Amino acid sequence: AALGLYFPRKEYLENVYIDEPAGMPLLRIHALKDSHEEVAHFHLCQNLIISRARSHENNWFQIREKTGLLYLSKSLDREDFNMLSVGSWMPLSKVMLYVFLSSHPFQEKECESATRTTVFLSLINATAPACSSLTARQLCFTEMDLSFHIKENKPPGTFHQLQLPSVHHLCQNLSISYKLLAAEGVPFRYNENTSSVRVTQRLDREERERYELIAKCTVREGFREMQVEVPFLVNVLDEDDSPPFLPNGTDTADAVVEFNRKEGTVLSTLTVYDADTTPIYPLESSRKKYTGTIITDDPWISETFRVEHIFDEIHFSPNGSQVRGTRHEY
């Protein structure tokens, strides 16, 4: 069964300053598809969550249903800040929002069941700093690491925008440009016009489990130029799509039992490799996936001998990149 649209990040982080204008873009959230025909719709359902115990009606933040752009629908003033922080002496208050995803326009009742991601907003008890006082790192990237999860065997799509909507909106006299540095043939493309990054083809985790790229940003102000580089990581999430295999093609092993063997003696072994999954915790669920059986009609054999199953994580190296898998020993 198709699981539908999904978020390439578990969480997003952004700063919000006092008195930023209504309409100010904060953050762009992306979704990836399970099948080509899906269309993503984004929605904010619940209240803002302030510290674990309290929540407050969300009067300040909205998301564009079709583009995933989170923006300020109302300026946040000092009074709002005091209400949303635990006390007015706090320099910063963290609030949490859930963004929900659906393949059709939202009905309110879906808020319980839909896929969601978490947005952590740091409300800062100060007005936004002048662009000239920000470092290249602050102008180019937020505090969140550029780390994404993309499911294998899914259609291509856009999963991140490098340009920060808020900086782009506030610092228009600066020129900020990006590049994605990657080895030849890596299935990711950066589009200079939209500053978005897309995965260009279906991925296969059994071929490669992790891509390590670099996002490079150049800030120009008059004659000054600053550059900053940060890691850009993509982890490929597994689907159980590869059958287990036997190193020498045989799925049975004969055991010859000699006289006077001691209890616990190993008589025969059989190895099975699974490139798909790594050992799952709790371990019992990995054990249940495959069982070892003694084929016999003799009740004495069934009582006297048993198959033990141990397994551990191993690495395969297709195309020179390390991919985790499991070795089962019976």
Side-chain angles (χ1 to χ4, degrees):
L3 292 168
L5 297 156
Y6 68 98
F7 291 105
R9 286 188 72 93
K10 302 257 188 308
E11 54 191 46
Y12 292 81
L13 314 173
E14 192 46 79
N15 295 334
V16 180
Y17 293 90
I18 283 179
D19 295 334
E20 288 183 307
M24 169 86 177
L26 299 173
L27 178 65
R28 190 181 286 278
I29 291 175
H30 290 87
L32 285 169
K33 300 178 180 188
D34 199 78
S35 59
H36 277 293
E37 45 292 348
E38 285 176 317
V39 179
H41 296 264
F42 299 91
H43 192 69
L44 294 175
C45 287
Q46 284 110 326
N47 294 343
L48 289 176
I49 297 159
I50 317 159
S51 74
R52 294 244 156 91
R54 298 168 50 221
S55 74
H56 192 287
E57 194 180 341
N58 171 22
N59 301 318
W60 300 272
F61 306 101
Q62 278 300 322
I63 196 162
R64 298 213 187 285
E65 186 185 354
K66 295 205 169 139
T67 63
L69 184 71
L70 187 74
Y71 64 97
L72 270 175
S73 52
K74 171 179 181 292
S75 185
L76 184 83
D77 60 25
R78 254 174 230 289
E79 219 175 293
D80 297 332
F81 178 87
N82 294 346
M83 185 167 59
L84 291 173
S85 65
V86 185
S88 55
W89 49 272
M90 301 276 285
L92 175 134
S93 173
K94 267 211 177 350
V95 300
M96 210 163 87
L97 275 172
Y98 291 124
V99 176
F100 290 78
L101 191 53
S102 172
S103 52
H104 49 257
F106 251 84
Q107 276 87 48
E108 239 4 84
K109 64 178 189 305
E110 288 183 283
C111 285
E112 296 314 303
S113 58
T115 306
R116 73 179 190 190
T117 189
T118 310
V119 178
F120 292 98
L121 297 170
S122 296
L123 310 183
I124 296 168
N125 194 0
T127 53
C131 296
S132 56
S133 71
L134 295 173
T135 64
R137 176 82 175 74
Q138 292 168 311
L139 288 164
C140 291
F141 302 107
T142 57
E143 280 118 68
M144 61 184 177
D145 59 335
L146 296 181
S147 173
F148 307 90
H149 305 278
I150 297 180
K151 294 181 181 178
E152 67 170 339
N153 307 322
K154 301 296 179 217
T158 298
F159 63 95
H160 184 63
Q161 183 179 10
L162 281 168
Q163 184 187 69
L164 305 179
S166 53
V167 171
H168 183 63
H169 189 78
L170 292 171
C171 309
Q172 291 178 347
N173 59 342
L174 292 179
S175 149
I176 302 175
S177 60
Y178 295 89
K179 271 198 168 75
L180 197 59
L181 309 179
E184 274 296 300
V186 164
F188 304 102
R189 285 286 164 280
Y190 172 64
N191 179 331
E192 281 179 22
N193 301 326
T194 59
S195 93
S196 59
V197 184
R198 65 182 274 115
V199 53
T200 56
Q201 64 188 57
R202 291 172 186 263
L203 303 180
D204 180 357
R205 193 200 71 92
E206 287 73 60
E207 287 295 317
R208 185 151 176 189
E209 188 167 16
R210 186 177 166 84
Y211 293 88
E212 300 183 17
L213 299 85
I214 288 171
K216 178 179 176 178
C217 174
T218 305
V219 181
R220 287 184 193 85
E221 186 180 14
F223 296 110
R224 270 188 349 136
E225 184 175 292
M226 298 177 286
Q227 293 190 332
V228 59
E229 294 184 358
V230 298
F232 187 103
L233 307 174
V234 179
N235 292 294
V236 185
L237 294 182
D238 193 57
E239 259 195 335
D240 204 350
D241 64 336
S242 303
F245 63 93
L246 300 138
N248 55 6
T250 170
D251 63 352
T252 52
D254 295 331
V256 176
V257 186
E258 293 176 8
F259 194 55
N260 270 352
R261 295 285 98 169
K262 286 198 167 54
E263 188 177 331
T265 302
V266 175
L267 302 168
S268 184
T269 58
L270 182 65
T271 305
V272 181
Y273 290 110
D274 187 346
D276 230 333
T277 48
T278 58
I280 308 161
Y281 299 93
L283 289 172
E284 278 317 302
S285 54
S286 267
R287 244 182 250 294
K288 286 188 189 117
K289 209 170 161 193
Y290 306 120
T291 53
T293 314
I294 297 173
I295 303 167
T296 180
D297 299 332
D298 185 334
W300 177 79
I301 290 179
S302 305
E303 284 159 23
T304 313
F305 302 97
R306 64 160 188 220
V307 178
E308 286 215 344
H309 178 193
I310 54 171
F311 49 90
D312 53 0
E313 184 172 289
I314 56 164
H315 289 99
F316 298 98
S317 298
N319 312 330
S321 72
Q322 286 215 325
V323 172
R324 293 171 303 149
T326 315
R327 176 177 50 212
H328 297 265
E329 300 260 20
Y330 294 94

